[in-house]
Amino acid sequence: MNQTTENAGLSSDATEVRAQKLKLLREQIADVYPAHFHRTITNAEIAEKYAGLEPDTESGETVTVAGRVFSSRNSGMFIDIHDASGKIQIFSHKDTAPEEARALLPMIDLGDIIGVTGEVRRTKRGELTVNAKEITMLCKSLLPMPEKYHGLADIETRYRKRYLDIMVNEESKLRFQQRSRIVSSLRRFLEDESFMEVETPMLQPIYGGATAEPFKTHHNTLKLDMYLRIAPELYLKRVLVSGLTDKVFEINRNFRNEGVSTRHNPEFTMMECYWAYADYEDMMGLVERMFETLALAVHGKTEFEFGDKQLSFKGPFPRISMPAAVKEATGIDFLAIKTDEEAREAARMAGFEIEKDATWGEVLAFVFEEEVEATLIQPAHVIHFPKDISPFAKEVPGEPRLVERFETYCNGWEIGNAFSELNDPVEQRARMVEQMEQAHARGETEKTLDEDFLDAMDQGMPPAGGLGIGVDRLIMLLTNSPSIRDIILFPARRHKAD
C-alpha cells in the first residue's frame, strides 16, 4: 500500500502530522466534518451499473461517491476509497480535476473519509474509475490505519478494537455480514413456519428456565434485586398459556455469569421457540428444516467446510439414544443398572472419576459427555436424556427414568436442546421444588420458586414441543469460525490495564 507522503515540514510523528493537517484544513475550508453530504450511488452499484463499459471509455454520467481512503498513489492522482459495499478508484489530474479539488490532495491521508463527484470511466487497464471534479473532506482521521495488506495480526487488538479488524480484514467483514444474513434467515424461516415473535423480560425478579449462575443487579426505584435472564423459557410458556399464539419464538440475548472460552461468552444469542400440540419429534423435523435453510442462505448448498471437516446440513439427521450410545462406547448398560450407587460404581470401574453423590442420570450424562460427545461430527439428535437432569420434559413411555428430550450435536458441540414440554402442573411443581432444594444444597441460597409461572401452569398449558438453539455456535459452524469471539462483534474481554 502506498500512502501520500506526510509533509516533511510538519512533523515526523504520523499522529502529529494528522493533527497539524486538521488545523490547516480548518483554516482553509469551512467544515472538515460536514453534517450534510449526499452520495448518489454505492461502489458496488457502480460495478453493477457499468459492468458493460468498455476499457478506455467514458460513461458520460456523473456520480457522487463516498468512502474511506485505503490507498493513495502518485501524490494522490490515484486514490482507492472503500464503502461498505466495496472499492472504487478516484482519478485526480489537472486535465480533469479543477485546482480546488487537487489542492486538497496533500491533506488527505489513509483512513480519511472523503466524498467525490465526477464522471465514471473505465481505464485502459479495465478498472472502473471516477474522474474527480469535486472532492469533499467528510472526516479527517487522526490516527493512522493498520496496514491493510498485512491485516490486523494481533488477536487481542482484533477483539478489543473490532472496528479496526473489520476495516482492514476482509474475512472479518464477510463473517459479520454472514452473521447478519444467518440471523435474518433464521427469523424469516420461523415466520414462514407460522411462529410469532415476541419479546420477554431480560431483567427478571426470579431467574429460571435453565441451570446457570446469573448476573445480579438492583433496581433503585423498585428497591428490588433483579437478575439478567439466563433463559426466556418460563415467559414464553406463559405466552402459550395465554392463547396469544400456538407458535411463539424469541431471538435475543441470554446472560450467564460463568466461564469464558472459545465456545462460551457471558452474553450470547439464543433462539427459543414453543409449538403447541407438537412434541420433540416435531421439533427434530423443525431443526432439520432450519439447518438446511440456513446453510442454503449462506453457502447456496447444504454441504460446507468447517476446518478440515466437510459438514452436511441435509436432513434427516440420525437419532441416537443416549443410553445406547454410552453402552456402545463403554460397554456400560445404564438401563440395566437400578440404583445411583450401582451407576457410580460401574462408571468408576470403567475409569471415570464420579462425584460421590451423583445420581444415576448425572452419571449417565457425564459418561456420555466424556466418551460420546466429541465423536458426533455430522449433525445428530441425541435422544432420551435422564429425567433427573431434565426438569421440564415429559417421561418416555415405559421408561420413567428417561424423558422425551433431545440435543442436536455437530462438530462435537451441542447446538440445540428440545423437549416434549412438561405441562402437568403438579409434576412441574414437584420437579421445580426438587431442583430448588438441590440448588440450596449446592449453596445457591437465592434460588426460589417462580410462583407466578407455576400459577400460569395451573391455568393450563397445552402440550407442546420446545426448542432452544445456540445461535452463536450455529454461526460459528456456518462461517468456519473456531472461536465464538470471532463471530461476536464485541466479545467480553478482561479490562486492559493502563
Side-chain angles (χ1 to χ4, degrees):
M1 177 189 298
N2 298 316
Q3 181 174 359
T4 303
T5 304
E6 304 283 9
N7 290 8
L10 294 176
S11 171
S12 60
D13 179 76
T15 303
E16 180 60 26
V17 167
R18 289 167 181 260
Q20 292 180 23
K21 286 184 178 180
L22 174 61
K23 182 179 179 181
L24 291 172
L25 282 167
R26 291 191 191 278
E27 294 172 357
Q28 294 173 12
I29 60 179
D31 191 352
V32 186
Y33 304 93
H36 304 289
F37 182 86
H38 301 286
R39 68 179 177 182
T40 61
I41 193 169
T42 69
N43 295 343
E45 288 168 345
I46 287 179
E48 181 179 359
K49 182 176 180 179
Y50 298 100
L53 193 62
E54 295 292 331
D56 198 21
T57 303
E58 296 178 350
S59 68
E61 297 177 355
T62 297
V63 299
T64 298
V65 296
R68 189 181 297 274
V69 176
F70 270 72
S71 175
S72 180
R73 305 174 296 281
N74 293 356
S75 299
M77 183 184 299
F78 295 95
I79 291 176
D80 290 342
I81 65 171
H82 290 226
D83 63 13
S85 71
K87 180 194 83 167
I88 192 70
Q89 178 173 265
I90 307 300
F91 178 68
S92 301
H93 186 268
K94 61 183 178 63
D95 292 342
T96 58
E99 175 61 29
E100 182 180 358
R102 289 185 287 114
L104 192 61
L105 296 179
M107 296 291 104
I108 296 176
D109 295 308
L110 300 191
D112 291 351
I113 299 173
I114 63 173
V116 178
T117 297
E119 184 181 353
V120 177
R121 70 180 176 95
R122 192 179 292 277
T123 67
K124 290 181 180 180
R125 295 184 177 182
E127 183 162 4
L128 280 174
T129 300
V130 175
N131 286 346
K133 295 180 181 177
E134 298 178 21
I135 301 177
T136 305
M137 178 65 72
L138 300 178
C139 180
K140 182 65 183 173
S141 173
L142 298 182
L143 292 175
M145 283 179 63
E147 173 60 57
K148 176 173 173 57
Y149 294 110
H150 290 96
L152 193 61
D154 182 73
I155 195 70
E156 287 300 315
T157 302
R158 290 178 64 181
Y159 295 149
R160 292 184 191 279
K161 298 183 180 293
R162 182 68 83 187
Y163 50 92
L164 292 180
D165 176 36
I166 294 173
M167 188 184 298
V168 300
N169 290 326
E170 287 298 324
E171 285 187 6
S172 291
K173 181 178 179 180
L174 174 61
R175 189 178 296 120
F176 287 107
Q177 290 172 337
Q178 289 176 326
R179 180 187 177 107
S180 177
R181 191 179 312 131
I182 292 165
V183 174
S184 176
S185 298
L186 175 58
R187 176 172 281 109
R188 188 161 53 249
F189 166 81
L190 289 165
E191 290 171 344
D192 289 345
E193 292 270 344
S194 300
F195 282 82
M196 175 181 173
E197 184 174 15
V198 300
E199 301 85 30
T200 62
M202 290 193 179
L203 279 176
Q204 301 180 352
I206 299 173
Y207 64 94
T211 302
E213 181 71 19
F215 287 94
K216 184 177 180 179
T217 187
H218 185 78
H219 195 294
N220 292 332
T221 301
L222 297 178
K223 296 181 174 58
L224 179 67
D225 287 340
M226 303 191 80
Y227 304 90
L228 293 178
R229 75 169 181 204
I230 59 175
E233 176 175 351
L234 304 188
Y235 285 91
L236 292 174
K237 287 182 175 179
R238 288 170 169 92
V239 175
L240 283 192
V241 170
S242 77
L244 175 67
T245 176
D246 288 338
K247 291 183 172 183
V248 63
F249 81 97
E250 182 171 11
I251 301 174
N252 223 316
R253 305 294 260 185
N254 287 354
F255 306 84
R256 299 185 183 179
N257 196 359
E258 298 177 338
V260 176
S261 75
T262 56
R263 283 186 282 162
H264 299 87
N265 197 64
E267 57 175 311
F268 57 97
T269 302
M270 281 288 294
M271 186 288 296
E272 284 203 23
C273 65
Y274 294 86
W275 180 357
Y277 313 110
D279 59 21
Y280 79 138
E281 291 280 356
D282 296 304
M283 306 316 283
M284 287 186 225
L286 185 73
V287 169
E288 290 161 3
R289 296 193 298 277
M290 178 190 301
F291 279 30
E292 184 170 337
T293 297
L294 296 181
L296 290 170
V298 177
H299 299 289
K301 56 185 180 179
T302 55
E303 293 74 33
F304 56 92
E305 291 182 359
F306 182 84
D308 59 356
K309 307 177 185 74
Q310 187 79 10
L311 301 179
S312 173
F313 272 13
K314 180 68 174 176
F317 304 157
R319 273 79 162 152
I320 302 170
S321 166
M322 180 181 284
V326 168
K327 182 179 179 180
E328 181 178 346
T330 68
I332 304 174
D333 185 358
F334 275 88
L335 295 181
I337 294 173
K338 303 302 182 185
T339 68
D340 295 342
E341 177 55 40
E342 289 174 359
R344 293 192 292 265
E345 183 60 24
R348 290 185 184 121
M349 290 292 291
F352 298 99
E353 294 185 9
I354 303 296
E355 296 288 339
K356 60 180 175 53
D357 57 351
T359 66
W360 175 88
E362 289 171 339
V363 177
L364 170 58
F366 176 79
V367 175
F368 169 80
E369 290 170 4
E370 292 292 304
E371 291 297 312
V372 181
E373 208 172 79
T375 68
L376 302 173
I377 303 305
Q378 297 298 330
H381 302 305
V382 176
I383 64 175
H384 297 169
F385 275 63
K387 184 171 74 173
D388 48 5
I389 63 167
S390 311
F392 295 107
K394 288 186 175 179
E395 294 176 359
V396 173
E399 182 48 79
R401 294 183 296 176
L402 300 177
V403 293
E404 292 190 347
R405 172 184 176 185
F406 74 87
E407 287 186 351
T408 302
Y409 283 84
C410 184
N411 192 49
W413 304 346
E414 176 212 335
I415 307 299
N417 185 22
F419 309 149
S420 293
E421 296 291 342
L422 183 64
N423 67 331
D424 178 339
V426 177
E427 177 68 13
Q428 182 69 87
R429 177 177 288 274
R431 291 200 203 175
M432 291 182 74
V433 168
E434 181 180 5
Q435 189 181 49
M436 181 184 67
E437 290 172 347
Q438 291 172 351
H440 289 175
R442 294 191 300 267
E444 300 173 22
T445 56
E446 294 185 2
K447 184 75 172 177
T448 59
L449 284 179
D450 190 336
E451 291 288 354
D452 183 75
F453 168 71
L454 291 171
D455 285 347
M457 294 298 289
D458 285 342
Q459 200 71 50
M461 186 185 84
L467 167 68
I469 293 289
V471 175
D472 296 310
R473 289 187 187 177
L474 187 55
I475 291 171
M476 289 170 66
L477 291 174
L478 287 166
T479 61
N480 198 9
S481 302
S483 172
I484 195 171
R485 290 171 289 187
D486 292 329
I487 54 89
I488 293 178
L489 269 173
F490 304 105
R493 311 296 302 155
R494 183 173 282 106
H495 179 68
K496 187 176 182 181
D498 294 332

